Amino acid sequence: PILLKCAGSPHIYLLQDGQKRWIDTIATFTERGYVWRDVQLISCDNLRAVPDGEPIPADAGPPPQP
């Protein structure tokens, strides 16, 4: 998986099909088998430029912006 976050934000996103999908909690992150070493830091401007996809889980509500 491609996991992204920017230094100015605590939120982590899964990059999937050209969209960023917000992972709502650390519990969701770990339950899905993701690990911290796979999270890549990118600039907040670049992360904001990626279109929003459906959050994880789908009923998590609107994704926060980095």
Side-chain angles (χ1 to χ4, degrees):
I2 299 174
L3 300 166
L4 303 172
K5 83 176 282 311
C6 69
S9 173
H11 307 294
I12 299 173
Y13 302 84
L14 171 67
L15 183 64
Q16 190 173 50
D17 299 326
Q19 298 179 322
K20 67 180 183 286
R21 299 183 64 200
W22 170 54
I23 301 170
D24 73 336
T25 65
I26 299 303
T28 300
F29 178 89
T30 55
E31 285 167 6
R32 293 192 171 239
Y34 301 137
V35 292
W36 289 106
R37 70 176 174 268
D38 292 337
V39 178
Q40 301 173 34
L41 287 176
I42 66 169
S43 77
C44 290
D45 287 340
N46 286 344
L47 190 53
R48 278 191 286 273
V50 178
D52 289 330
E54 186 174 88
I56 301 171
D59 63 354
Q65 291 306 303

